[in-house]
Coordinates of all heavy atoms in Angstrom, one line a residue:
S162 N 59.5 118.6 120.3 CA 58.6 119.5 119.6 C 59.3 120.8 119.4 O 60.3 121.0 119.9 CB 57.3 119.7 120.5 OG 57.7 120.4 121.7
A163 N 58.6 121.6 118.5 CA 59.2 122.9 118.3 C 59.3 123.7 119.6 O 60.3 124.4 119.9 CB 58.4 123.7 117.3
E164 N 58.2 123.6 120.4 CA 58.2 124.3 121.7 C 59.3 123.8 122.7 O 60.0 124.7 123.3 CB 56.8 124.2 122.4 CG 56.7 124.9 123.7 CD 55.3 124.8 124.3 OE1 54.4 124.4 123.6 OE2 55.2 125.2 125.5
S165 N 59.5 122.5 122.8 CA 60.5 122.0 123.7 C 61.9 122.4 123.2 O 62.8 122.8 124.0 CB 60.4 120.5 123.9 OG 60.7 119.8 122.7
C166 N 62.1 122.5 121.9 CA 63.4 122.9 121.4 C 63.6 124.4 121.7 O 64.7 124.8 122.0 CB 63.5 122.7 119.9 SG 63.7 120.9 119.4
L167 N 62.6 125.2 121.5 CA 62.7 126.7 121.8 C 63.0 126.9 123.3 O 63.9 127.7 123.6 CB 61.5 127.4 121.4 CG 61.4 127.9 119.9 CD1 60.2 128.6 119.7 CD2 62.6 128.7 119.5
D168 N 62.3 126.2 124.1 CA 62.5 126.4 125.6 C 63.9 126.0 125.9 O 64.6 126.7 126.7 CB 61.5 125.5 126.3 CG 60.1 126.0 126.3 OD1 59.9 127.1 125.9 OD2 59.2 125.3 126.7
L169 N 64.4 124.9 125.4 CA 65.7 124.4 125.8 C 66.8 125.3 125.1 O 67.9 125.5 125.7 CB 65.9 123.0 125.5 CG 65.2 122.0 126.5 CD1 65.1 120.6 125.9 CD2 65.9 122.0 127.8
A170 N 66.5 125.8 123.9 CA 67.5 126.7 123.3 C 67.6 128.0 124.1 O 68.7 128.5 124.3 CB 67.0 127.1 121.9
A171 N 66.5 128.5 124.6 CA 66.6 129.7 125.5 C 67.4 129.4 126.8 O 68.2 130.2 127.2 CB 65.2 130.2 125.9
W172 N 67.2 128.2 127.3 CA 67.9 127.8 128.5 C 69.4 127.7 128.2 O 70.3 128.2 129.0 CB 67.4 126.5 129.1 CG 68.2 126.0 130.3 CD1 68.0 126.4 131.6 CD2 69.4 125.2 130.3 NE1 69.0 125.8 132.4 CE2 69.8 125.1 131.6 CE3 70.1 124.5 129.3 CZ2 70.9 124.3 132.0 CZ3 71.2 123.7 129.6 CH2 71.6 123.7 130.9
C173 N 69.7 127.1 127.0 CA 71.1 127.0 126.6 C 71.8 128.4 126.5 O 73.0 128.5 126.9 CB 71.3 126.2 125.3 SG 71.0 124.5 125.5
I174 N 71.1 129.3 125.9 CA 71.7 130.7 125.8 C 72.0 131.3 127.2 O 73.0 131.8 127.4 CB 70.7 131.6 124.9 CG1 70.8 131.1 123.5 CG2 71.2 133.0 125.1 CD1 69.7 131.8 122.6
D175 N 71.0 131.1 128.0 CA 71.2 131.6 129.4 C 72.4 130.9 130.1 O 73.2 131.6 130.7 CB 69.9 131.4 130.2 CG 69.9 132.1 131.5 OD1 70.2 133.3 131.6 OD2 69.6 131.4 132.6
R176 N 72.5 129.6 129.9 CA 73.6 128.9 130.5 C 74.9 129.3 129.9 O 75.9 129.5 130.6 CB 73.4 127.4 130.2 CG 74.5 126.5 130.7 CD 74.6 126.4 132.2 NE 75.7 125.6 132.6 CZ 75.6 124.3 133.0 NH1 74.4 123.7 133.1 NH2 76.7 123.7 133.4
A177 N 75.0 129.5 128.5 CA 76.2 129.9 127.9 C 76.7 131.3 128.4 O 77.8 131.5 128.7 CB 76.0 130.0 126.4
E178 N 75.7 132.2 128.5 CA 76.0 133.6 129.0 C 76.5 133.6 130.4 O 77.4 134.4 130.8 CB 74.8 134.5 128.8 CG 74.6 134.8 127.3 CD 73.3 135.6 127.1 OE1 72.4 135.7 128.1 OE2 73.1 136.1 126.0
N179 N 75.9 132.7 131.2 CA 76.3 132.7 132.7 C 77.6 131.9 132.9 O 78.3 132.2 133.9 CB 75.2 132.1 133.5 CG 74.0 133.1 133.7 OD1 74.3 134.2 134.0 ND2 72.8 132.6 133.5
S180 N 77.9 130.9 132.1 CA 79.0 130.1 132.3 C 80.2 130.4 131.4 O 81.4 130.0 131.7 CB 78.7 128.6 132.2 OG 78.4 128.3 130.8
G181 N 80.0 131.0 130.3 CA 81.0 131.2 129.3 C 81.3 130.0 128.5 O 82.3 130.0 127.7
D182 N 80.6 129.0 128.6 CA 80.8 127.7 127.9 C 80.1 127.7 126.5 O 78.8 127.6 126.5 CB 80.3 126.5 128.8 CG 80.7 125.2 128.2 OD1 81.0 125.0 127.0 OD2 80.7 124.2 129.0
A183 N 80.8 127.8 125.5 CA 80.3 128.0 124.1 C 79.5 126.8 123.6 O 78.8 126.9 122.6 CB 81.3 128.4 123.2
R184 N 79.7 125.6 124.2 CA 79.0 124.4 123.7 C 77.5 124.7 123.8 O 76.8 124.2 122.9 CB 79.4 123.2 124.5 CG 78.8 123.0 125.8 CD 79.2 121.8 126.6 NE 80.5 122.1 127.2 CZ 81.3 121.1 127.5 NH1 81.1 119.9 127.3 NH2 82.5 121.4 128.1
Y185 N 77.1 125.4 124.7 CA 75.6 125.7 124.9 C 75.1 126.6 123.8 O 74.0 126.6 123.4 CB 75.3 126.2 126.3 CG 75.6 125.2 127.3 CD1 76.8 125.2 128.1 CD2 74.7 124.2 127.5 CE1 77.0 124.2 129.0 CE2 74.9 123.2 128.5 CZ 76.1 123.2 129.2 OH 76.4 122.2 130.1
C186 N 76.0 127.5 123.3 CA 75.6 128.3 122.1 C 75.4 127.4 120.9 O 74.5 127.6 120.1 CB 76.7 129.4 121.8 SG 76.7 130.7 123.0
S187 N 76.3 126.5 120.7 CA 76.2 125.6 119.5 C 74.9 124.8 119.6 O 74.2 124.6 118.6 CB 77.4 124.6 119.5 OG 78.6 125.3 119.2
I188 N 74.6 124.3 120.8 CA 73.4 123.5 121.0 C 72.2 124.4 120.8 O 71.2 123.9 120.2 CB 73.4 122.8 122.4 CG1 74.5 121.8 122.5 CG2 72.1 122.2 122.7 CD1 74.8 121.3 123.9
A189 N 72.2 125.6 121.3 CA 71.1 126.5 121.2 C 70.8 126.8 119.7 O 69.7 126.8 119.3 CB 71.3 127.8 121.9
R190 N 71.9 127.0 118.9 CA 71.7 127.2 117.5 C 71.0 126.0 116.8 O 70.2 126.2 115.9 CB 73.0 127.5 116.8 CG 73.6 128.9 117.2 CD 74.9 129.2 116.5 NE 74.7 129.3 115.1 CZ 75.7 129.2 114.2 NH1 76.9 129.0 114.6 NH2 75.4 129.3 112.9
T191 N 71.4 124.8 117.2 CA 70.8 123.6 116.6 C 69.3 123.5 117.0 O 68.5 123.3 116.1 CB 71.6 122.4 117.2 OG1 72.9 122.4 116.8 CG2 70.9 121.1 116.6
L192 N 69.0 123.7 118.3 CA 67.6 123.6 118.7 C 66.8 124.7 118.1 O 65.6 124.5 117.7 CB 67.6 123.7 120.2 CG 68.3 122.5 121.0 CD1 68.2 122.8 122.5 CD2 67.7 121.2 120.6
S193 N 67.3 125.9 117.9 CA 66.6 127.0 117.3 C 66.3 126.6 115.8 O 65.2 126.9 115.3 CB 67.4 128.3 117.3 OG 67.5 128.7 118.7
F194 N 67.3 126.1 115.1 CA 67.1 125.6 113.8 C 66.0 124.6 113.6 O 65.1 124.7 112.8 CB 68.4 125.1 113.2 CG 68.2 124.5 111.8 CD1 68.2 125.4 110.7 CD2 68.1 123.2 111.6 CE1 68.1 124.8 109.4 CE2 67.9 122.6 110.3 CZ 67.9 123.5 109.2
I195 N 66.0 123.6 114.5 CA 64.9 122.6 114.5 C 63.6 123.3 114.7 O 62.6 123.0 114.0 CB 65.2 121.6 115.6 CG1 66.4 120.8 115.3 CG2 64.0 120.7 115.8 CD1 66.9 119.9 116.5
A196 N 63.4 124.2 115.7 CA 62.2 124.8 115.9 C 61.7 125.6 114.7 O 60.5 125.6 114.4 CB 62.3 125.7 117.2
E197 N 62.6 126.4 114.1 CA 62.3 127.2 112.9 C 61.8 126.3 111.8 O 60.8 126.6 111.1 CB 63.4 128.0 112.5 CG 63.7 129.2 113.5 CD 65.0 129.9 113.1 OE1 65.6 129.6 112.1 OE2 65.4 130.7 114.0

């Protein structure tokens, strides 16, 4: 759903910022696009 994608996108951003692993930024952008 749009909501589940937004929730997980936010989690991915948090994970990317805390871990430095950019794969989570790419995934967050995808999930944000889906939600939009």
Side-chain angles (χ1 to χ4, degrees):
S162 68
E164 183 178 345
S165 64
C166 287
L167 275 181
D168 287 349
L169 286 164
W172 178 85
C173 284
I174 289 170
D175 191 50
R176 175 71 184 259
E178 290 174 343
N179 286 314
S180 69
D182 190 336
R184 79 181 81 205
Y185 294 99
C186 288
S187 296
I188 294 168
R190 290 181 63 198
T191 301
L192 297 175
S193 296
F194 175 80
I195 293 168
E197 288 172 10

